[in-house]
Amino acid sequence: MIIKRAEIPGDKSISHRALILGAIAEGDTRIKNFSNSGDCRSTFNVLKELGVNVAEKAPSELVVRGVGLRGFKKPGKDLYAGNSGTTMRLMSGALAGQAFDSVVTGDASLSKRPMKRVLIPLREMNAEIEGVEDNYPPLRIRGSKLHSIDYDSPVASAQVKSCLMLAGLYAEGETTVTEPVKSRDHTERMMKYMGAEIKEEGLKVTVNGGSKLQGREIEVPGDISSAAYFIVAALLKGGETEIECVGVNNTRTGIINVLKKMGGKIEFKNPRSISNEPVADIHVEKGQLRGIEIIGEDIPGMIDEIPVIAVAATQAEGKTVISGARELRVKETDRIKAICSELAKMGAKIQEKEDGMIIEGPTPLKPVEVNSYGDHRMAMALSIACLVSESGTDKIINKECCEISFPGFFNVFSRFKSNEVEA
Ligand code: S3P
């Protein structure tokens, strides 16, 4: 089966960045294959509130009229980031350097996510920013004149790095961020693509304050984090499957490396580059997987894919051990706890560890009711577990939340099931 380009949404991370960088650029940025996900809509709405004109030309095509680095208007109300950590963390970097005050709020899940990781370095840059209990949203930002910093981030987080790179555009001098392990580098690539001066050296990235961005056409690759569900489905249950035009940036392909190590037959066809991001068509064949060990330094490259990797591991021969994944506890839900409890309900041999999990396979999965806990990645990973257990996705409580990153997921899933799954 071929999963067409239009069936997998545009990359969510790249779509957020295209909107934000387009907004603070000079001139127009036309974004093609934009992700119409709930999260990217949050960024879209926040920018509109800041006076940015974004015209919708077609269902996945937008034109952002850049207002330049200092062109945002003071918002008339609080800025609502919905469920989106990327919106809140990246925008707080851009807002810290403005000449006005703002407040960024979120939904119940986002209101429980840690923001201290951006408050600390932003304050080092002279930002005035406060959160509830000095950690949680809403964030109250008083626009101020920023200083550049050289920051050693304790977490490998592209949201933290990108927040500081954005703030760095408003600071005098060079702002450098060093990470413990490299996280996704879409901000670096897009800033360069739009003409900013960015230096990269190993785990260090440096932005020059005042660097101007030039609006450009940006074509967004398919989201590998969304394709991941169909890659695992094809390995476990499918015939040959090809997914067209997926982003294969090596800061995101951790899931491919792991599934290949597990024995999965996956090939990149027709590799090419669009808007400074590598893409390929991903070809997958069904086959038996075997358990492996996944360690801390592997995690940033597959941070959002651990729930679906856990589903794959329930069907692999032997033991899969995932360690160094503590960050999963502060995502949209505690994903370590959630995936362990729900797969255990289905009969998987899975043991929760403080920083990961241990899974013994292969085990048949039972068609019982499971809960997504309102987390999109849980809903989609559990859909693949339901496919293995031969139960319907009506067994997943609150499955509609997959719209946060993958609108139309269940349509593609139904087509996959009717085409590919052997009776
Ligand atoms: C994202 C970075 C990751 C990821 C999230 C999107 C981004 O978060 O989990 O879904 O677009 O920068 P962290 O940077 O906090 O790990």
Side-chain angles (χ1 to χ4, degrees):
M1 159 180 182
I2 297 200
I3 299 184
K4 293 254 168 249
R5 175 150 198 206
E7 291 181 286
I8 298 289
D11 189 277
K12 178 162 83 71
S13 286
I14 297 176
S15 296
H16 280 294
R17 287 156 173 81
L19 273 179
I20 298 172
L21 297 184
I24 58 172
E26 320 257 320
D28 286 357
T29 291
R30 182 176 290 267
I31 311 173
K32 291 187 169 164
N33 201 36
F34 174 75
S35 161
N36 273 313
S37 58
D39 268 6
C40 291
R41 288 274 143 197
S42 293
T43 294
F44 176 100
N45 292 335
V46 163
L47 291 170
K48 284 209 138 179
E49 194 52 41
L50 289 163
V52 180
N53 182 322
V54 188
E56 301 197 51
K57 297 289 180 190
S60 299
E61 191 169 325
L62 306 176
V63 176
V64 190
R65 179 134 296 171
V67 296
L69 273 183
R70 311 232 170 237
F72 286 151
K73 301 232 159 47
K74 181 178 164 48
K77 56 178 192 205
D78 291 355
L79 301 167
Y80 182 61
N83 192 245
S84 173
T86 308
T87 307
M88 181 165 286
R89 296 197 179 112
L90 269 58
M91 285 309 300
S92 61
L95 290 167
Q98 302 296 329
F100 53 78
D101 300 348
S102 52
V103 178
V104 194
T105 65
D107 71 2
S109 154
L110 184 55
S111 299
K112 286 191 224 132
R113 297 183 62 191
M115 295 297 147
K116 204 164 193 160
R117 53 186 61 197
V118 295
L119 300 185
I120 290 174
L122 283 175
R123 281 186 195 137
E124 266 188 48
M125 297 180 82
N126 195 43
E128 288 186 49
I129 177 164
E130 276 166 30
V132 175
E133 294 167 28
D134 207 24
N135 196 12
Y136 302 104
L139 299 182
R140 294 180 184 281
I141 305 169
R142 176 152 284 184
S144 36
K145 198 166 181 323
L146 302 182
H147 305 158
S148 56
I149 53 167
D150 186 341
Y151 187 64
D152 260 323
S153 178
V155 277
S157 160
Q159 293 183 355
V160 172
K161 174 174 63 178
S162 305
C163 164
L164 300 178
M165 290 177 72
L166 281 159
L169 292 175
Y170 295 88
E172 239 173 70
E174 290 190 334
T175 293
T176 298
V177 186
T178 309
E179 299 188 278
V181 178
K182 193 171 166 79
S183 65
R184 62 191 66 187
D185 65 356
H186 305 304
T187 307
E188 295 87 312
R189 284 172 178 271
M190 198 178 290
M191 280 190 177
K192 278 190 199 160
Y193 180 72
M194 296 175 88
E197 228 184 276
I198 305 292
K199 279 186 267 175
E200 285 177 275
E201 203 193 318
L203 300 170
K204 253 186 215 307
V205 56
T206 302
V207 185
N208 228 350
S211 283
K212 288 220 167 84
L213 303 169
Q214 191 56 52
R216 279 189 80 168
E217 180 168 305
I218 297 174
E219 196 178 339
V220 181
D223 196 329
I224 190 165
S225 296
S226 297
Y229 304 100
F230 294 100
I231 295 171
V232 172
L235 286 171
L236 301 182
K237 293 292 276 185
E240 277 182 47
T241 302
E242 192 152 306
I243 311 173
E244 290 179 350
C245 200
V246 180
V248 292
N249 176 321
N250 65 10
T251 60
R252 295 285 297 281
T253 46
I255 179 160
I256 306 290
N257 303 338
V258 155
L259 291 172
K260 277 185 162 177
K261 260 201 214 157
M262 292 174 88
K265 287 189 205 146
I266 307 176
E267 237 184 280
F268 290 169
K269 296 202 159 159
N270 192 16
R272 56 212 187 268
S273 165
I274 57 174
S275 307
N276 205 23
E277 288 281 353
V279 296
D281 304 324
I282 301 183
H283 186 90
V284 189
E285 279 176 47
K286 185 179 167 196
Q288 181 59 51
L289 301 179
R290 53 181 180 272
I292 57 157
E293 196 172 334
I294 300 172
I295 58 169
E297 67 186 49
D298 301 329
I299 303 294
M302 58 178 101
I303 185 77
D304 294 330
E305 286 69 71
I306 301 291
V308 76
I309 289 172
V311 173
T314 67
Q315 303 309 304
E317 300 267 359
K319 200 191 263 188
T320 294
V321 180
I322 304 178
S323 312
R326 220 170 268 110
E327 269 292 302
L328 263 71
R329 294 204 182 270
V330 292
K331 292 294 179 189
E332 286 81 331
T333 189
D334 177 342
R335 288 184 180 155
I336 294 181
K337 187 169 162 211
I339 200 69
C340 290
S341 74
E342 301 319 286
L343 289 178
K345 282 182 196 163
M346 297 181 85
K349 285 194 196 143
I350 184 163
Q351 186 195 328
E352 181 176 341
K353 296 197 300 162
E354 201 265 309
D355 69 340
M357 60 200 81
I358 302 171
I359 303 157
E360 294 256 12
T363 46
L365 296 180
K366 291 184 290 209
V368 298
E369 189 177 75
V370 284
N371 198 333
S372 73
Y373 300 99
D375 180 328
H376 55 126
R377 307 250 177 243
M378 282 293 301
M380 292 183 278
L382 289 172
S383 301
I384 308 308
C386 288
L387 182 73
V388 172
S389 74
E390 283 163 23
S391 63
T393 54
D394 54 340
K395 299 260 185 224
I396 306 172
I397 300 169
N398 197 353
K399 62 179 181 171
E400 300 72 28
C401 61
C402 63
E403 300 289 308
I404 281 294
S405 60
F406 196 154
F409 169 77
F410 289 107
N411 296 336
V412 190
F413 187 65
S414 299
R415 194 168 87 76
F416 179 87
K417 254 182 19 183
S418 55
N419 272 275
E420 289 307 307
V421 177
E422 294 152 12

